Amino acid sequence: MLDLTQAYAGCPSSSLQFLHLPRETLLLYPFADSVVVLNARNLAFVRALAFWEVFPSTRHLAQSVQCLTAENGMKLVVAALGHRVVVWSLSGKQYDYWRVHSSLLLPDDQHVTALSCMSGLLAVGTRSSLSVYTLILENDLPTWSLKWSSTVPSLSRVRFSPSLMYIAATSLHDNVVHIYLTTTGRQTQAISHPRPVTDLIWRNSPSSSRDDPILYTITIDATLRIFLPVLDAPQYLQLHSALDTFSSLPFSVASQETNSSVFRLDREVLNAALKSVLEQSQSAEDDARRRRIREITEEGWDMFLRVLSDGSLVVQAVANIDRRPPTLLKQFTLLQSAPGVLSGPPAHLYIVPNPGRTSLTLITSPPLKSYELAILPFFDARADGLKLVASSAEHADADAREDSRAEVVRFMRTPNGEGVGALRSDGSGEVWNFDWARSGRLVRKGRWTADSERVDQFVVFDAGTLLTLHTTPPATLQVPALTSLFALSSPSISSPYRTLIGITASCTVVVISATISGDNTTLSLLSESSLPLPKPPKRILPVDPMAWVGQYGSGTRGVAQVHDVLLSVSEQGELAFWVPEGQTVAWKCTGVVRTGRKGLSMARCSSAKKSVLIVPTPEGEELTIWDSKESEFALGLEYRAVLPDPITDLDWAATPDGQSILAVGFAHRVELLCQQRATYFDETPGWSVCWKIDMTGVVPHPISDSIWLARGTLLVGAGHLLFMFGQKRLEKGAEEKEEESLFEHVARLNGPLDEYHPQMVLQCLLWEKIELVKSIIVNLARNIESGRDIHDWEHLPLENFLRRDDEAKATNAPHRPKYSLLFDIPEGRDEEEEDPFSPSAIRKLLDHLEEKPIPHLTPSENASLLVLIQTALEIEEQRRALDANGLRYLISMRSFYILNRRASEPSSPASPTNGTAPTLQLKRRERLRYRDMIWAFHSDSQEVLLSTSVAACGGKMCWPDARALGVFIWMHSTDAMRAHMEVIARNEYMAGDVRDPTACSLFYFALGKVKLVHGLWRQAAWHKEQQLMLKFLNNDFKEPRWRTAALKNAFALLSKRRFEYAAAFFLLGGSLKDAVNVCLRNLSDWQLAVALARVVEQGDDGPILRGILNDTVIPLAFKEGNRYLASWAFWMLHRRDLAVRILVMPLQDMASVVDAQITEIGDPHYDDPSLALLFSQLKSKTLQTAQGTSEISGRTEFNFVLQIARVFCRMGCHVLALDLVRSWSFQRPSTVMRDSRAALRPPSPVSTRFALEPALRRKSSILIDIDVTTAPPTRRASPSRSPSRAASPPPPQVPKEELKDEGDLVARKAGIGSLMKSAKQDVKVPEFDMNAFF
């Protein structure tokens, strides 16, 4: 996904410090107001330690950290800025926890110039003093106590000796090395040098019992001197040897060497690596090389490395340093490499351990580079002895040490994202080119410094060309004060012409033309105009152009495709998109979205016309994402979230397949939001966080800006540092597998699905593409058997998805032999071809998928796929016993139980990858969706569905199971309902170990079986209420007095909050209405109320049931925006015209024509493709539904189908969206009047009484369920927009379209009126006469 691929943390200008850890070595150097911590081997950024965390007043100072030292024993890092000193400590089991250890504040005039820390002692050198502090721990609070301080010249460096007895120091004003006693600060010796000293190194001798001080000094002429104590004065150091160029090279070569550097190779680090090499098993060919290594180790040589001007290396050794007398010192050249090993003599060179490897890491600076030093090849002078691992080559230019210390304020990229500019707080900045093809790094192309004229706005052109008012020669143009400036994408990168768009403070748009030709840059003002809006907008923003570059407008056909350039946001939250037109640059509006959001603080628009708005609220900042396609079926709102943390930055990126990724910047993190694929069963949010970049443990500075670059790369600016996040490039020959890229991850979350994905298979089953599903399963089995990689699997051709099921069945049917005579016997094959969709083949496939699931499917998706494959096999076996709607219910029911079972399982212990957003946890659902229940309601296979539902409950369905499956919603037969309620009553009584008659009384009383309950109480000897109930139920409840007694008991039970038992007593007392009210008000179970009403009233026309539907179900459906539930309620009320219209029409329009009291209307919920499936079934099923269909305008139905097609695309089923718009029939039921004379002709005894459209002629029958004389009107005279949309004036062309649609509507209403009248006459048909057919 997105990993930190590069950090731009300046170039070290002084010596480096190191912390040696068990698993890695950390490299530290100061930069600006921070200490930069890198991994020494690969130079990967680890952390920045900010000085202002301890001293906040230093946050915006122009000073930088001057001194830095590291203490490996206690893992301390000490840094100084001015007269302040800060100490950090590294702790934790993994050494990954940094904290402020302590601090030290000196007098204001004592600027620290040198530091050294060792074993709790801190030496601080200033411009006029040298002080030593001791670390004291009081109450676990570390403090520094001054031990002594003495006046000395201004110091440049100080070093503690290994024994802590001495301090060596150098001054800025002379070439003398001063030696001080650590205990008192008294100077014991001053060692003069002929040249300025550049480094001091005390030699540590752990193998020697002697504690003599041994000092190495290096001067500016690349000469290393060795000072040893004399025998009679151990505190006095004397020069015993010097290593210069002439000591390591022949005189003829050394005399020509003008530039070289010499460095000491750390003896402890080197010896540890040499011993690890010797401990390895050796081969015969390595034996000779190992002798040299063994000799170095045993003799205890000190090694020194000289780098010559041609990049060659010379290794010198000095022997016998630990021996006495000192005259036994011996120096010699060990090896010399070929030229070009290094780029030249570096200022600093170090060798550090490489934990876990037998090699060492060699660091040079500047520029900062890391090499792997292989011991055996290196000491054999082979070319592969030193291998470059990492480098900070972006700082290799001449002004690398002049990196700006000012903090980043804002980024600006080129339209194609391959160049970016950074503006800093002091007005300076730089321009970078994103070299993604070769190195994947940013390469600096130019910079500008802070000037007297402050830079407020800037743009970056292709390939990092900078255009400001300070070009050479200067190109100036007088324009109004601009609040925003950006460049449009160019049709060709070679074109010298660029177009700039500027937005002024008064919201006028300035169009500027820039001509870039060599050194000649000209600017010209093309136009300055306002957008044609009734009121000035609150803000005008650019539409991100990144997705257009390289895909559109390339100029290959001469004309670039027009894209939206500007987005205007009004005070009322209305979004308008604009494109330029003509030479005079007039602005044309291409779309409007009414969001209703006021008080915007931030907004951005992507190239896919996705807009994000930020509105401050009392709960936090509201983030909403809007689509540009607004209609009566979609308000445009795709996502809403209220975030408690302030949002500092927004930026859009585009994927190659046209999807958008939003980067939301906070103070210390960046969250990436991408669109989520919609699912059929789960209510997933439209957008979700797919990745998080947390900078909390990386840098303490807040994030100032973040911006997308090309190829899904994100650049983040925090303080004065830049961080680039992208896809890591694996080295050639790397064994690890390349991880999923951001674009691949987004495509997997929201792109087109594979044909075998369970959601695709499910939708194909729901839309009656059984043969297609069989082909998908067979093709999946073949791909798995082939053993090919999943990326090489074969896919079904597109034509298979566009066929009707009967056509596919005819194509896939086996060719049977044709018979010419009755008793002809065809020549059969010895072995018939095996059916690829046989039960055995499917079982084999299921076994394989259970053992080896498809890799990129989640466990839930793999489980769903197994269920769907098994269901497809059962459908094939029971195809004659199950209709299409029964099949849809069966699929939904099986998925319901599968998902609930998986939601009940414990979650996987595996934690998500670092940076990924937390995965959505499966939630257990209490019931099937009403949508799935309605399929069973419109099914003709209810007996099969009931038996299957009972089997899914383990053969014992209780009321919670019946409610979860909506059994008493979808059952038609009254007798079947009564029988099934008795089954439920029996199961409720038998549930559990205790046989409690109160659990089943409600259902038995609804069935009128009081005596049966009386018998059950006789067996409940354990129950404390047995005697009372036996005595009470022994009465005759047909008598009014006992009914009254039952009602009194019911009210008493209500006071005791025994609601279900109270409802049972209301039924016993003959008050169905009170029992229903208890179910609705106290139990909040309207399904139980419907079940009781349908059973007690023995039908669907009772007043209690109608009251439940009108007063409870329909208002609930409008409140939840559930069109399926409302359609079912209208169907039960015999208002089937409304049952059809509610599936398509806006809820606000429907609320005005229903009899129920609608107080609240929820979301429209047009994001379900099954709405179109149910509408296509019902719109011509009966005369009432035909009437309802006729009152839906043709344009409304057209937009409805387009909305469902978009929903299919949101679900990843793009091919099904294509099939929907390709095969949808817009034919409507109406009379077909050829001419007026034909209408006056007498009816023929052979023809029907009324002519129908072809869509109805194909139906075998149409139910007559309407009374023409009593049917009330169900539509207002003219359609009107919802109140929320009426606030904004409609476009000019809208009234024409409304007028046209209304005329079409009047004609259709007249047609349906004739249709109903003809049907009314046709009810009185003459007696059947067989002669009419001849």
Side-chain angles (χ1 to χ4, degrees):
M1 290 283 285
L2 285 186
D3 298 306
L4 180 60
T5 58
Q6 194 177 7
Y8 301 88
C11 180
S13 56
S14 60
S15 61
L16 308 178
Q17 300 294 323
F18 298 90
L19 278 179
H20 304 303
L21 305 180
R23 297 186 178 182
E24 63 179 344
T25 300
L26 299 181
L27 181 154
L28 303 95
Y29 64 89
F31 176 62
D33 63 351
S34 304
V35 175
V36 178
V37 184
L38 306 180
N39 181 290
R41 171 175 168 76
N42 51 26
L43 301 185
F45 188 87
V46 176
R47 187 181 171 89
L49 307 173
F51 208 88
W52 54 264
E53 288 183 285
V54 182
F55 296 102
S57 60
T58 62
R59 171 74 186 275
H60 301 292
L61 291 179
Q63 299 177 358
S64 300
V65 176
Q66 298 295 331
C67 305
L68 178 69
T69 185
E71 205 278 324
N72 275 282
M74 301 175 64
K75 301 295 185 289
L76 299 180
V77 175
V78 186
L81 189 153
H83 61 284
R84 305 172 181 89
V85 179
V86 176
V87 183
W88 292 272
S89 66
L90 180 61
S91 59
K93 292 183 178 180
Q94 305 296 328
Y95 289 100
D96 55 356
Y97 178 68
W98 290 90
R99 65 181 180 89
V100 176
H101 177 270
S102 55
S103 62
L104 183 63
L105 186 63
L106 303 180
D108 293 347
D109 59 342
Q110 296 294 318
H111 286 260
V112 179
T113 57
L115 288 172
S116 181
C117 183
M118 182 179 292
S119 301
L121 292 179
L122 176 64
V124 180
T126 66
R127 294 176 180 175
S128 59
S129 67
L130 174 63
S131 306
V132 172
Y133 294 83
T134 304
L135 181 62
I136 299 176
L137 293 175
E138 292 183 359
N139 299 324
D140 294 332
L141 181 64
T143 57
W144 295 97
S145 174
L146 179 63
K147 189 174 183 179
W148 55 262
S149 180
S150 62
T151 303
V152 297
S154 182
L155 300 179
S156 58
R157 59 185 56 81
V158 293
R159 300 286 188 273
F160 278 113
S161 68
S163 63
L164 297 179
M165 292 179 61
Y166 306 101
I167 299 175
T170 58
S171 173
L172 294 173
H173 307 293
D174 55 33
N175 304 335
V176 180
V177 176
H178 303 272
I179 308 296
Y180 302 90
L181 287 176
T182 306
T183 54
T184 62
R186 181 177 63 85
Q187 179 175 324
T188 61
Q189 187 178 358
I191 306 174
S192 299
H193 287 68
R195 299 282 188 274
V197 179
T198 59
D199 200 3
L200 295 172
I201 306 103
W202 287 100
R203 181 179 184 271
N204 190 16
S205 305
S207 60
S208 174
S209 59
R210 301 175 63 89
D211 198 18
D212 298 335
I214 301 174
L215 180 66
Y216 300 141
T217 64
I218 301 176
T219 54
I220 197 171
D221 59 350
T223 300
L224 184 142
R225 293 173 174 84
I226 303 175
F227 294 89
L228 300 175
V230 296
L231 295 178
D232 52 349
Q235 297 182 357
Y236 184 80
L237 298 179
Q238 184 177 6
L239 177 66
H240 281 76
S241 181
L243 304 179
D244 56 8
T245 309
F246 294 92
S247 66
S248 58
L249 297 173
F251 181 82
S252 59
V253 178
S255 59
Q256 299 178 1
E257 186 65 41
T258 58
N259 183 22
S260 67
S261 299
V262 63
F263 308 95
R264 183 194 70 118
L265 299 182
D266 192 300
R267 189 163 176 264
E268 295 182 14
V269 173
L270 186 60
N271 284 343
L274 296 178
K275 290 179 180 179
S276 64
V277 171
L278 294 176
E279 290 173 358
Q280 293 180 346
S281 59
Q282 59 183 359
S283 59
E285 59 183 69
D286 291 339
D287 187 53
R289 289 186 292 178
R290 286 174 180 271
R291 280 197 221 100
R292 172 67 62 88
I293 302 299
R294 188 176 295 107
E295 186 179 4
I296 296 174
T297 306
E298 293 175 352
E299 295 294 332
W301 298 342
D302 281 36
M303 314 291 291
F304 303 91
L305 178 66
R306 184 176 296 276
V307 183
L308 304 182
S309 58
D310 60 357
S312 60
L313 308 180
V314 178
V315 177
Q316 292 179 271
V318 177
N320 303 330
I321 292 182
D322 289 327
R323 297 182 183 180
R324 293 295 180 268
T327 54
L328 298 176
L329 286 185
K330 178 183 179 183
Q331 57 173 298
F332 52 91
T333 300
L334 196 62
L335 63 92
Q336 181 175 356
S337 71
V341 176
L342 298 180
S343 56
H348 306 281
L349 185 146
Y350 310 86
I351 60 168
V352 294
N354 199 351
R357 299 170 181 261
T358 57
S359 57
L360 294 172
T361 297
L362 186 142
I363 306 292
T364 63
S365 173
L368 189 59
K369 293 185 178 182
S370 171
Y371 298 86
E372 182 176 10
L373 190 152
I375 301 295
L376 291 179
F378 178 80
F379 283 99
D380 202 23
R382 287 168 47 180
D384 58 345
L386 211 58
K387 178 183 177 183
L388 180 65
V389 176
S391 66
S392 299
E394 65 275 6
H395 297 292
D397 49 359
D399 56 357
R401 300 195 181 191
E402 299 177 6
D403 284 329
S404 177
R405 265 61 175 171
E407 296 186 359
V408 175
V409 175
R410 189 172 72 254
F411 292 123
M412 179 68 72
R413 65 165 176 255
T414 61
N416 62 2
E418 295 182 6
V420 65
L423 180 64
R424 297 186 178 268
S425 58
D426 61 351
S428 65
E430 58 266 352
V431 180
W432 307 74
N433 184 31
F434 181 30
D435 186 15
W436 60 269
R438 289 181 294 179
S439 63
R441 290 172 170 262
L442 288 179
V443 180
R444 187 159 53 198
K445 290 294 185 180
R447 65 191 311 168
W448 71 91
T449 58
D451 207 326
S452 57
E453 297 183 24
R454 181 179 178 86
V455 177
D456 293 321
Q457 306 293 334
F458 70 101
V459 293
V460 182
F461 288 140
D462 300 309
T465 302
L466 173 69
L467 175 67
T468 66
L469 300 180
H470 307 283
T471 54
T472 304
T476 60
L477 181 67
Q478 293 294 329
V479 293
L482 300 179
T483 60
S484 176
L485 182 66
F486 58 93
L488 299 184
S489 57
S490 174
S492 173
I493 196 173
S494 60
S495 173
Y497 303 103
R498 299 291 187 273
T499 302
L500 306 180
I501 303 292
I503 310 299
T504 66
S506 59
C507 287
T508 60
V509 183
V510 178
V511 183
I512 304 171
S513 176
T515 304
I516 304 173
S517 178
D519 295 334
N520 185 18
T521 301
T522 60
L523 299 174
S524 60
L525 181 63
L526 295 183
S527 71
E528 180 181 358
S529 60
S530 300
L531 298 178
L533 289 169
K535 294 181 180 179
K538 182 177 181 179
R539 60 181 63 196
I540 301 177
L541 306 168
V543 176
D544 177 63
M546 186 179 290
W548 307 336
V549 180
Q551 300 181 24
Y552 309 108
S554 59
T556 55
R557 297 185 179 179
V559 179
Q561 185 172 338
V562 177
H563 296 280
D564 295 290
V565 173
L566 297 179
L567 169 69
S568 66
V569 185
S570 70
E571 292 286 348
Q572 304 300 322
E574 183 176 275
L575 310 180
F577 302 90
W578 304 89
V579 295
E581 279 190 329
Q583 297 294 330
T584 58
V585 192
W587 295 96
K588 175 184 176 183
C589 181
T590 61
V592 175
V593 178
R594 299 167 182 86
T595 68
R597 262 57 181 181
K598 300 179 181 179
L600 298 177
S601 62
M602 201 177 301
R604 293 290 185 273
C605 183
S606 74
S607 51
K609 296 178 72 171
K610 305 283 186 183
S611 303
V612 56
L613 308 180
I614 305 299
V615 178
T617 64
E619 296 79 18
E621 292 193 316
E622 181 198 49
L623 183 147
T624 53
I625 299 178
W626 300 80
D627 185 49
S628 60
K629 300 178 181 65
E630 182 190 24
S631 68
E632 64 266 43
F633 302 107
L635 300 177
L637 180 62
E638 293 187 347
Y639 179 73
R640 179 185 180 273
V642 177
L643 305 172
D645 299 331
I647 298 174
T648 60
D649 179 53
L650 298 169
D651 196 34
W652 287 100
T655 66
D657 57 349
Q659 298 191 56
S660 299
I661 307 174
L662 175 64
V664 183
F666 299 90
H668 295 284
R669 73 181 190 277
V670 179
E671 296 184 356
L672 306 186
L673 274 70
C674 71
Q675 211 162 357
Q676 286 278 96
R677 185 184 298 115
T679 59
Y680 188 72
F681 290 116
D682 297 328
E683 293 183 0
T684 56
W687 293 70
S688 69
V689 178
C690 63
W691 194 259
K692 287 184 180 180
I693 297 175
D694 191 358
M695 306 293 290
T696 305
V698 177
V699 59
H701 299 79
I703 297 174
S704 54
D705 195 12
S706 59
I707 195 169
W708 287 103
L709 303 181
R711 275 73 185 177
T713 302
L714 185 68
L715 184 65
V716 178
H720 47 274
L721 307 175
L722 307 182
F723 302 92
M724 191 171 72
F725 294 86
Q727 182 79 7
K728 280 190 175 181
R729 299 191 175 193
L730 297 180
E731 300 179 1
K732 293 182 178 180
E735 296 181 359
E736 55 182 315
K737 186 178 180 181
E738 186 173 359
E739 64 177 5
E740 186 180 48
S741 68
L742 176 64
F743 287 170
E744 291 171 344
H745 181 74
V746 171
R748 183 168 58 83
L749 292 181
N750 191 41
L753 292 172
D754 293 310
E755 60 194 32
Y756 52 81
H757 193 280
Q759 180 149 281
M760 178 70 78
V761 175
L762 172 64
Q763 291 302 318
C764 290
L765 288 174
L766 293 176
W767 286 79
E768 298 184 63
K769 294 180 176 292
I770 310 299
E771 294 299 323
L772 174 61
V773 171
K774 291 168 58 178
S775 301
I776 291 173
I777 296 173
V778 170
N779 188 57
L780 175 62
R782 290 173 180 167
N783 285 325
I784 291 177
E785 291 177 359
S786 66
R788 292 191 295 264
D789 186 77
I790 192 171
H791 298 94
D792 300 327
W793 281 6
E794 295 182 358
H795 299 279
L796 295 178
L798 177 63
E799 294 77 13
N800 291 23
F801 291 85
L802 305 180
R803 293 178 188 165
R804 294 198 308 270
D805 201 51
D806 52 354
E807 296 177 354
K809 188 173 183 179
T811 304
N812 298 336
H815 298 286
R816 300 185 180 276
K818 296 181 179 181
Y819 298 88
S820 58
L821 297 176
L822 182 60
F823 296 103
D824 275 357
I825 300 177
E827 294 181 0
R829 300 180 181 177
D830 295 338
E831 295 182 0
E832 295 184 358
E833 294 183 0
E834 183 182 358
D835 182 11
F837 199 75
S838 63
S840 60
I842 298 304
R843 174 47 55 191
K844 181 179 179 182
L845 174 62
L846 292 175
D847 293 340
H848 187 279
L849 291 177
E850 287 179 354
E851 181 181 354
K852 295 182 179 180
I854 298 178
H856 62 273
L857 296 184
T858 64
S860 297
E861 290 170 345
N862 274 299
S864 300
L865 180 60
L866 296 177
V867 172
L868 291 173
I869 293 175
Q870 183 67 36
T871 304
L873 180 61
E874 295 179 5
I875 293 168
E876 184 67 16
E877 296 173 349
Q878 301 178 4
R879 208 162 182 179
R880 293 185 179 182
L882 206 61
D883 62 355
N885 285 333
L887 161 66
R888 297 179 181 111
Y889 172 81
L890 179 64
I891 295 172
S892 303
M893 182 191 65
R894 289 186 178 277
S895 299
F896 168 74
Y897 281 107
I898 288 294
L899 294 178
N900 271 359
R901 185 171 69 246
R902 292 198 62 84
S904 302
E905 295 175 354
S907 58
S908 172
S911 59
T913 307
N914 186 24
T916 56
T919 56
L920 294 175
Q921 297 292 330
L922 291 176
K923 294 183 179 180
R924 183 178 178 85
R925 291 191 59 84
E926 296 299 326
R927 58 166 175 82
L928 272 179
R929 298 180 186 274
Y930 295 125
R931 168 193 64 199
D932 306 320
M933 300 176 188
I934 301 308
W935 294 132
F937 178 72
H938 290 290
S939 172
D940 296 329
S941 311
Q942 293 198 345
E943 294 182 3
V944 178
L945 297 183
L946 184 59
S947 61
T948 308
S949 300
V950 172
C953 301
K956 294 181 179 180
M957 180 182 289
C958 297
W959 173 247
D961 302 315
R963 180 178 54 213
L965 299 179
V967 173
F968 288 90
I969 288 180
W970 53 260
M971 289 183 71
H972 289 164
S973 172
T974 304
D975 295 336
M977 280 191 290
R978 291 181 62 86
H980 193 63
M981 182 168 283
E982 186 170 0
V983 172
I984 290 176
R986 186 186 313 116
N987 292 335
E988 288 285 353
Y989 175 73
M990 299 295 293
D993 298 332
V994 179
R995 303 292 186 261
D996 189 357
T998 62
C1000 60
S1001 297
L1002 176 62
F1003 303 105
Y1004 278 129
F1005 288 166
L1007 296 169
K1009 298 191 176 185
V1010 182
K1011 296 299 181 183
L1012 192 151
V1013 177
H1014 185 266
L1016 295 178
W1017 275 107
R1018 289 177 182 174
Q1019 303 175 22
W1022 57 272
H1023 206 290
K1024 63 180 181 178
E1025 299 175 352
Q1026 183 194 27
Q1027 296 303 322
L1028 293 175
M1029 290 304 301
L1030 287 176
K1031 182 179 179 180
F1032 186 73
L1033 293 179
N1034 199 32
N1035 299 303
D1036 185 4
F1037 289 94
K1038 294 180 181 179
E1039 297 180 10
R1041 62 184 295 253
W1042 295 115
R1043 289 194 173 190
T1044 303
L1047 295 178
K1048 289 182 179 180
N1049 285 329
F1051 285 111
L1053 289 168
L1054 277 179
S1055 64
K1056 295 180 180 180
R1057 305 187 64 82
R1058 298 175 65 181
F1059 299 125
E1060 186 174 339
Y1061 207 31
F1065 271 80
F1066 277 126
L1067 290 180
L1068 188 61
S1071 180
L1072 173 62
K1073 184 175 182 180
D1074 289 329
V1076 164
N1077 286 336
V1078 172
C1079 295
L1080 296 176
R1081 298 173 184 175
N1082 302 110
L1083 296 176
S1084 300
D1085 191 349
W1086 66 264
Q1087 282 199 53
L1088 181 59
V1090 167
L1092 297 178
R1094 297 184 73 185
V1095 170
V1096 175
E1097 293 181 335
Q1098 298 186 8
D1100 299 337
D1101 298 323
I1104 303 299
L1105 177 62
R1106 297 179 68 85
I1108 297 172
L1109 296 176
N1110 278 313
D1111 300 335
T1112 302
V1113 178
I1114 292 179
L1116 176 65
F1118 274 83
K1119 179 181 178 181
E1120 297 180 352
N1122 197 308
R1123 300 175 182 274
Y1124 297 98
L1125 184 59
S1127 177
W1128 171 81
F1130 287 134
W1131 196 278
M1132 294 290 290
L1133 291 170
H1134 303 291
R1135 292 304 307 274
R1136 297 173 182 174
D1137 52 339
L1138 299 181
V1140 174
R1141 289 183 59 194
I1142 193 66
L1143 298 176
V1144 177
M1145 300 297 293
L1147 295 179
Q1148 290 87 351
D1149 295 347
M1150 295 298 300
S1152 60
V1153 300
V1154 300
D1155 298 332
Q1157 294 293 327
I1158 307 300
T1159 59
E1160 186 177 353
I1161 298 178
D1163 294 333
H1165 289 306
Y1166 281 112
D1167 52 355
D1168 190 346
S1170 291
L1171 284 172
L1173 187 57
L1174 185 59
F1175 175 67
S1176 66
Q1177 283 191 15
L1178 300 185
K1179 67 177 184 178
S1180 303
K1181 190 172 185 178
T1182 71
L1183 283 180
Q1184 273 197 4
T1185 60
Q1187 180 188 10
T1189 305
S1190 68
E1191 299 195 15
I1192 301 173
S1193 68
R1195 179 172 293 276
T1196 299
E1197 183 177 355
F1198 179 80
N1199 291 337
F1200 172 72
V1201 174
L1202 290 184
Q1203 169 65 18
I1204 299 301
R1206 283 193 287 268
V1207 173
F1208 265 135
C1209 294
R1210 286 277 293 105
M1211 297 175 65
C1213 305
H1214 296 68
V1215 65
L1216 297 184
L1218 175 61
D1219 182 55
L1220 175 69
V1221 298
R1222 178 178 175 271
S1223 59
W1224 185 269
S1225 173
F1226 290 94
Q1227 294 172 329
R1228 293 166 171 273
S1230 63
T1231 54
V1232 183
M1233 305 298 291
R1234 302 299 180 188
D1235 52 38
S1236 59
R1237 291 174 299 175
L1240 298 176
R1241 293 173 188 165
S1244 168
V1246 180
S1247 63
T1248 58
R1249 295 294 180 180
F1250 52 90
L1252 298 179
E1253 291 270 352
L1256 284 184
R1257 291 198 206 110
R1258 292 195 298 267
K1259 294 183 69 66
S1260 59
S1261 63
I1262 181 170
L1263 298 179
I1264 303 173
D1265 58 351
I1266 193 170
D1267 187 351
V1268 178
T1269 60
T1270 60
T1274 61
R1275 184 181 173 94
R1276 293 177 297 203
S1278 61
S1280 63
R1281 296 178 66 88
S1282 60
S1284 62
R1285 299 172 184 278
S1288 301
Q1293 66 270 21
V1294 173
K1296 286 186 179 181
E1297 297 180 359
E1298 291 287 346
L1299 215 55
K1300 182 179 177 181
D1301 286 347
E1302 193 61 31
D1304 183 33
L1305 176 64
V1306 172
R1308 282 196 305 276
K1309 290 183 69 174
I1312 195 63
S1314 302
L1315 171 62
M1316 291 185 290
K1317 291 178 181 178
S1318 301
K1320 185 71 175 177
Q1321 297 172 3
D1322 194 48
V1323 172
K1324 302 176 181 179
V1325 294
E1327 185 178 354
F1328 181 78
D1329 185 6
M1330 192 68 178
N1331 294 328
F1333 293 93
F1334 300 98

